[in-house]
Amino acid sequence: MKPFTITSVRAFALRAPIEEPVRTSFGLMRDRPAVLIRAEDADGVVGWGEVWCNFPSCGAEHRVNLLETEVVPRLVGLTISDPSDIFRKLTIDLQMLVNQSGEAGPVAQVLAGTDIALWDIASRREGQPLWRYLGGNSGVIRAYASGINPDNPTAIVKKKLAEGYSAFKIKVGFGDELDRQNLEKVRKLLGPDLLLMADANQAWNLPDAKRMIESISHLELLWIEEPLPVHSSRSNWQALSQSISVDLAGGENIRGEENFKTMVDGRLFRYIQPDVGKWGGISGCLAVAKYARRSGLIYCPHWLGSSVGLMASAHLLAAAGGSGQLEVDANPNPLRDHLFTGFP
């Protein structure tokens, strides 16, 4: 890589109104936020990144302020020969701030978005799509429709079927009866051959997770995502994994390469799901994806933001290879659908 010097970094907090909130087991998204980063080098090459900012609702503005005060002064004027080195350097430089503020998540997120923008510049300078620049063999990936709300999910699935999707992930964690009814209705609609997954968003404790997953085992789910809180003990995750027949998925709420390696080495999860805007950016997530693949597991990037992070996730998946699928949120999001034109 020919070194390049950063001359400008700007951050933008955007919000788009939506008619129907996006529901999870722990809260509502009443609008669709996005924090975008625009970085430019001395040759005028521009790269874009995106920072995770969904919860709490004030998170977007806070992350813009954090980026402008703590990251921009460290980045402008810096000459870069490898974005991964800068990601590691900034992570170390901001560790004392993390210790003092307790804001490990927001700091990791602004560094993730910054890393995406730097890799965007690097690949554009070489005139290559990012997936090829990172060593990928094909720009063709699979995708699934995600984030399907508990209110009339069959209507959304029918719409996404018409758009060509053949795999679907339903939100659960809203009460056993409603969760079962929704999954049963969608499975009946899909038939036995199309893929169905469920995302509990950390809604259950161990006994509830065992009971609930057993009650839906006949529905042939590809995976159940985050059935327990991410901080649950290893023994609880082991107890759950050993008592159910469906594969587990998770990773969007994990930070740090070593923590992901521990997750992979434990082999409790078959589907590893880091979020490119939440931790790691391209640098960290590609390393995790390759490690997971070498260990025989499947990398499936998590994403629920706007178009910049979605495209970064797509390029990462194509670069990593394997049988994983790109998560495409089924809920309306003007910052995904209209901000980026020409999405495949």
Side-chain angles (χ1 to χ4, degrees):
M1 183 186 300
K2 184 179 178 181
F4 57 93
T5 301
I6 297 297
T7 57
S8 171
V9 180
R10 296 180 63 192
F12 305 87
L14 308 177
R15 291 188 181 275
I18 51 176
E19 293 183 2
E20 182 178 347
V22 178
R23 294 181 61 186
T24 72
S25 64
F26 55 82
L28 298 176
M29 294 175 62
R30 301 187 184 278
D31 58 27
R32 300 310 301 264
V35 170
L36 303 185
I37 299 174
R38 181 190 187 278
E40 185 173 352
D41 74 3
D43 297 316
V45 180
V46 173
W48 288 89
E50 182 169 355
V51 178
W52 183 94
C53 62
N54 293 336
F55 298 97
S57 59
C58 61
E61 290 77 11
H62 173 58
R63 283 156 180 78
V64 166
N65 292 333
L66 188 59
L67 189 136
E68 289 181 342
T69 59
E70 301 300 332
V71 176
V72 172
R74 291 175 166 86
L75 197 56
V76 171
L78 204 59
T79 297
I80 297 169
S81 57
D82 185 343
S84 295
D85 291 341
I86 303 305
F87 174 72
R88 288 188 288 269
K89 179 182 186 304
L90 291 177
T91 299
I92 293 170
D93 288 350
L94 292 176
Q95 185 57 52
M96 193 60 71
L97 175 65
V98 169
N99 295 345
Q100 187 68 24
S101 66
E103 293 200 270
V107 170
Q109 291 147 22
V110 298
L111 293 182
T114 300
D115 185 78
I116 296 170
L118 296 182
W119 278 107
D120 194 20
I121 289 177
S123 63
R124 289 176 186 275
R125 288 176 61 87
E126 296 298 322
Q128 296 187 44
L130 182 59
W131 65 265
R132 183 180 294 146
Y133 185 66
L134 294 172
N137 295 317
S138 172
V140 178
I141 57 174
R142 298 191 300 164
Y144 69 94
S146 174
I148 298 174
N149 280 353
D151 305 318
N152 196 15
T154 54
I156 301 175
V157 171
K158 286 178 181 178
K159 178 182 178 183
K160 294 302 171 181
L161 277 167
E163 293 176 7
Y165 287 89
S166 60
F168 306 85
K169 188 170 75 181
I170 309 298
K171 292 284 188 182
V172 295
F174 304 97
D176 291 3
E177 183 176 356
L178 179 61
D179 290 345
R180 278 194 296 267
Q181 287 179 357
N182 283 340
L183 289 170
E184 287 169 355
K185 288 177 182 177
V186 172
R187 173 50 78 197
K188 183 177 180 180
L189 173 64
L190 297 179
D193 298 328
L194 299 187
L195 298 179
L196 178 61
M197 299 85 91
D199 184 356
N201 286 125
Q202 310 183 72
W204 302 321
N205 58 30
L206 179 59
D208 289 342
K210 285 182 176 180
R211 184 188 70 253
M212 184 60 194
I213 295 173
E214 175 62 27
S215 73
I216 58 176
S217 60
H218 63 289
L219 299 176
E220 299 295 328
L221 300 181
L222 182 66
W223 75 61
I224 180 75
E225 188 171 325
E226 286 196 329
L228 301 178
V230 68
H231 63 267
S232 297
S233 67
R234 181 179 176 85
S235 61
N236 277 2
W237 282 111
Q238 288 175 325
L240 178 62
S241 177
Q242 293 167 4
S243 68
I244 60 176
S245 57
V246 64
D247 288 322
L248 296 177
E252 66 182 271
N253 291 307
I254 302 294
R255 288 191 306 272
E257 192 171 344
E258 290 305 314
N259 288 329
F260 273 105
K261 286 183 177 180
T262 298
M263 179 185 183
V264 169
D265 293 344
R267 308 196 71 79
L268 300 176
F269 294 76
R270 178 160 176 74
Y271 298 90
I272 308 301
Q273 302 172 307
D275 185 305
V276 70
K278 205 168 190 179
W279 171 82
I282 303 296
S283 298
C285 289
L286 184 60
V288 167
K290 290 182 175 181
Y291 188 78
R293 287 208 62 207
R294 287 196 300 269
S295 301
L297 304 181
I298 299 172
Y299 164 64
C300 282
H302 175 273
W303 187 252
L304 203 72
S306 85
S307 56
V308 174
L310 179 60
M311 288 304 296
S313 300
H315 281 269
L316 256 176
L317 180 57
S323 60
Q325 300 189 54
L326 177 69
E327 179 172 25
V328 182
D329 182 18
N331 297 285
N333 187 348
L335 297 180
R336 177 198 60 220
D337 302 336
H338 304 305
L339 184 66
F340 181 90
T341 57
F343 183 73

